[in-house]
Amino acid sequence: MKCLLLTIFCFGQLASLCAAKHIADGVEGIEGHIPRQREISRYMQHQVQANNFTNSESLQRIRAHRAEDVRKGFQHAWRAYKKYAFGADEINPLTLEPLTTRNGWGATLVDALDTIHIMGLHDEFEEAAEKVRQIDFEKNDGEPSKVFETNIRYIGGLISAFELSGNRMFLKQATSLADIMLEAFDTSTGIPWQMWDVQTGTGSSEAGPSTLNNLAEVGSYQLEFFRLSQLTHDPSYHKAAQRVFDVLLDSNEPRKGTPYSVPGLYPVFLDIKTGKFVNGKPNLGGGSDSFYEYLIKTWALSGFRLQRNLDLWLESLRSIKKYILSRGSDQRLYMAVGDDEGLDSISDTFTCFFPGTLALASRLLNDNETLGIAHDLLMSSYNTFSRMPTHLGPENFGFLPEGDSDSDLLESQRAEIKKYGFYLDHPYYLMRPEVIESIFYFYRITGDERYADWIWQIWQGIKVNCAVDGGYAGLRDVRIGRRGGLIGKQESFVFSETFKYIYLAFATPDVISLDDYIFSTEGHPFKRSTSFNGTF
């Protein structure tokens, strides 16, 4: 009997050790450091959200009025979607046609769930939940799924809806879809295909018959997959996401004269067959953005235990400060494209997420110097909106680095730099949330009402320039407004991010507090209170 008990005990210990080896991926830092409880406890004491919000009766009335105005704006768009395209991926807000853009599973339906719940729209939430229950992720429109978008819009949206509502149907659907998407990670390196056909079980690249993928689309599964492993007690999701980092670190050494020349500044494109970076100058914009975002956010979501994430974030931040940030001729601090071989002074609206994420990191790490840099970046980001007569900013813009000659610029670009401090490269606005998101972070982190006022100005610009019968359309030229024409595009992120961040700027600060939640790159809030002790 003693031998049997000893055998059972030893087997149990071995199983625990094997499980720990599986699920502790990322706990050990890049220098071998494993965080101690004392360090973790210190980080847990750092308060993210301000506690000095002005609470006068008059200001409370203003906030309540503004929150309700945004809520009504959301309902306007949701009613049109429900009437003309309920269950479709998107609605064309100009023609009222339902659109299939994300496999026909209902991207807007799923992406909007947590916003609907946060706004207290109970009937709409229950109706949407019933529609979500009917989704069969094993069937699609015949087109391959973009794995990254499927993760952030569908899986992330379902996880958040479960955490907010407690309805396990959402978790079941998230798990069902994640299990399908895990097949895309079954490659020679474990780095996922960019596209995955759920019906044929084959992978591909967006560019066609190649094995290329980009940094954001291989490195932005950590947050959702970590939380899914916690909720299901299945380490396979977390392991798959962390495996990508194992391969990238093992396959690439920073070396001058190669695409990867600066530690922590990663080229945009890589080959999933080899795990090696191919080309694409490092930047914080589309194709790279959420890779860096998830380093610090997943560390925080893990209760500060995934040390490798923190190490990689700090390494990247050092290089970003040195090579990516640049003063413009207007003395503002911009985010450019560059490495140790030079800098391209072009940027896009995707980069404007970074001031908010950097501000969040500064509070998580109690780093006031970094908060100051984040504020400088916020000022240049917001300037692209505030200088426009529409209060809306362009998709892409450029600047003139301080001390550089403007002789290579077009006359129109020089004129705009003189007028605005930057020039517009692509002047359209597609209701993207990144500038609003960063302003929201600063409002919640500082309690300064001017940031809420900035968001209110942007919301007025959206109502005046983008509102149509079918919701909110894109704007062709932010310099001239509606008379320049509208774009029949209203992506699901309008519901999951743009409306959510605007609304939360005016809801009471305890609604989705930054001390209680971490937002995904698609704006889905995940609870920070879910404990993690290194095992699932």
Side-chain angles (χ1 to χ4, degrees):
M1 186 65 171
K2 287 182 179 178
C3 289
L4 178 61
L5 289 173
L6 182 61
T7 301
I8 293 172
F9 174 77
C10 291
F11 179 79
Q13 291 293 96
L14 178 62
S16 296
L17 286 172
C18 290
K21 185 178 179 182
H22 255 319
I23 61 185
D25 296 74
V27 169
E28 185 176 311
I30 56 179
E31 299 294 335
H33 176 67
I34 295 177
R36 298 184 178 184
Q37 187 57 48
R38 184 171 62 250
E39 298 172 70
I40 293 168
S41 297
R42 187 175 72 248
Y43 290 129
M44 286 182 170
Q45 292 172 9
H46 295 163
Q47 184 173 327
V48 175
Q49 190 158 292
N51 55 13
N52 62 336
F53 291 94
T54 304
N55 284 313
S56 66
E57 287 188 17
S58 61
L59 191 53
Q60 287 181 25
R61 284 195 297 272
I62 290 171
R63 285 186 193 137
H65 164 74
R66 290 178 172 183
E68 182 58 24
D69 190 65
V70 178
R71 191 170 180 261
K72 287 179 179 177
F74 177 92
Q75 288 176 296
H76 162 69
W78 185 254
R79 279 193 295 268
Y81 170 71
K82 180 182 164 184
K83 182 176 181 179
Y84 299 106
F86 199 40
D89 291 332
E90 295 174 14
I91 179 175
N92 182 320
L94 298 181
T95 66
L96 307 180
E97 295 173 282
L99 303 175
T100 299
T101 56
R102 303 289 173 196
N103 299 107
W105 293 324
T108 293
L109 174 72
V110 176
D111 232 357
L113 286 167
D114 51 15
T115 305
I116 295 171
H117 192 278
I118 289 166
M119 288 184 174
L121 302 172
H122 304 298
D123 292 343
E124 290 88 340
F125 185 80
E126 291 305 318
E127 192 173 19
E130 183 54 38
K131 196 75 172 176
V132 169
R133 190 188 305 276
Q134 300 168 20
I135 299 173
D136 183 354
F137 289 116
E138 293 186 352
K139 298 177 181 178
N140 68 2
D141 65 341
E143 294 294 321
S145 304
K146 200 167 191 186
V147 185
F148 161 78
E149 298 288 358
T150 300
N151 175 55
I152 64 171
R153 300 188 195 224
Y154 286 107
I155 297 174
L158 290 164
I159 292 172
S160 180
F162 164 68
E163 291 207 315
L164 291 174
S165 71
N167 186 337
R168 296 195 67 83
M169 177 273 295
F170 294 124
L171 179 59
K172 181 180 178 182
Q173 286 286 58
T175 306
S176 170
L177 181 55
D179 287 343
I180 294 170
M181 289 299 112
L182 271 184
E183 297 174 20
F185 289 74
D186 187 16
T187 63
S188 58
T189 59
I191 298 177
W193 288 99
Q194 188 174 38
M195 312 294 292
W196 185 253
D197 192 315
V198 302
Q199 293 178 315
T200 65
T202 54
S204 59
S205 170
E206 195 173 29
S210 79
T211 51
L212 284 183
N213 207 334
N214 65 57
L215 188 64
E217 294 191 38
V218 304
S220 301
Y221 299 93
Q222 293 184 70
L223 203 74
E224 291 85 358
F225 279 23
F226 172 79
R227 179 43 49 85
L228 194 57
S229 282
Q230 283 188 297
L231 295 173
T232 62
H233 305 292
D234 180 350
S236 60
Y237 311 108
H238 174 68
K239 183 176 175 62
Q242 289 291 329
R243 171 67 178 159
V244 172
F245 286 79
D246 296 341
V247 175
L248 291 182
L249 293 173
D250 290 345
S251 304
N252 299 277
E253 281 286 335
R255 191 166 64 251
K256 193 169 180 62
T258 68
Y260 179 37
S261 59
V262 178
L265 276 190
Y266 305 103
V268 178
F269 298 104
L270 57 110
D271 188 335
I272 71 168
K273 280 198 306 185
T274 64
K276 291 188 178 298
F277 291 113
V278 177
N279 55 37
K281 263 193 172 184
N283 65 85
L284 296 169
S288 299
D289 45 8
S290 51
F291 174 91
Y292 298 102
E293 178 184 3
Y294 273 19
L295 292 178
I296 192 69
K297 286 187 172 181
T298 308
W299 172 69
L301 195 70
S302 75
F304 313 110
R305 289 187 179 273
L306 294 180
Q307 182 66 33
R308 181 168 66 175
N309 275 61
L310 177 61
D311 291 350
L312 292 173
W313 165 263
L314 293 174
E315 180 180 65
S316 292
L317 185 57
R318 285 191 292 270
S319 296
I320 287 168
K321 289 177 179 178
K322 185 173 182 179
Y323 294 106
I324 298 293
L325 307 188
S326 174
R327 290 281 172 192
S329 57
D330 60 353
Q331 294 301 302
R332 290 185 174 89
L333 189 63
Y334 289 90
M335 294 162 282
V337 176
D339 53 23
D340 57 347
E341 293 187 351
L343 177 140
D344 297 329
S345 54
I346 192 74
S347 196
D348 61 34
T349 192
F350 294 105
T351 66
C352 297
F353 87 94
F354 194 65
T357 295
L358 194 58
L360 171 66
S362 75
R363 298 277 39 90
L364 292 169
L365 295 165
N366 197 26
D367 178 1
N368 287 328
E369 179 188 353
T370 296
L371 183 61
I373 294 172
H375 183 263
D376 285 352
L377 293 173
L378 178 71
M379 296 304 291
S380 66
S381 298
Y382 176 56
N383 188 56
T384 64
F385 276 58
S386 65
R387 295 303 302 274
M388 296 296 106
T390 57
H391 298 295
L392 303 175
E395 181 84 352
N396 292 66
F397 55 92
F399 65 96
L400 180 66
E402 183 180 22
D404 279 13
S405 168
D406 64 0
S407 58
D408 291 336
L409 297 176
L410 301 174
E411 184 178 343
S412 61
Q413 292 173 334
R414 289 196 293 270
E416 287 191 332
I417 286 176
K418 186 175 181 180
K419 184 176 183 180
Y420 305 128
F422 60 94
Y423 66 87
L424 289 79
D425 190 35
H426 295 148
Y428 56 86
Y429 176 63
L430 294 176
M431 294 282 294
R432 295 201 190 276
E434 286 79 10
V435 170
I436 301 166
E437 172 187 351
S438 281
I439 300 170
F440 161 76
Y441 273 102
F442 266 86
Y443 174 58
R444 285 290 187 89
I445 284 170
T446 66
D448 190 333
E449 290 297 327
R450 67 173 163 155
Y451 299 121
D453 289 339
W454 291 359
I455 291 178
W456 181 249
Q457 271 195 324
I458 293 172
W459 171 234
Q460 299 312 299
I462 289 173
K463 288 197 297 181
V464 169
N465 294 283
C466 302
V468 293
D469 289 346
Y472 297 86
L475 199 60
R476 292 195 179 278
D477 194 328
V478 296
R479 294 167 296 195
I480 56 178
R482 292 180 83 104
R483 60 189 173 88
L486 298 173
I487 302 170
K489 189 69 174 169
Q490 182 181 247
E491 286 209 45
S492 65
F493 61 69
V494 174
F495 296 85
S496 69
E497 297 184 80
T498 308
F499 269 110
K500 185 182 287 110
Y501 289 125
I502 295 173
Y503 177 78
L504 288 175
F506 308 117
T508 57
D510 60 326
V511 177
I512 314 294
S513 166
L514 296 180
D515 288 312
D516 298 330
Y517 290 88
I518 290 288
F519 286 94
S520 76
T521 194
E522 189 73 3
H524 297 304
F526 295 164
K527 290 180 179 178
R528 291 180 60 187
S529 58
T530 304
S531 62
F532 177 61
N533 63 1
T535 63
F536 292 108

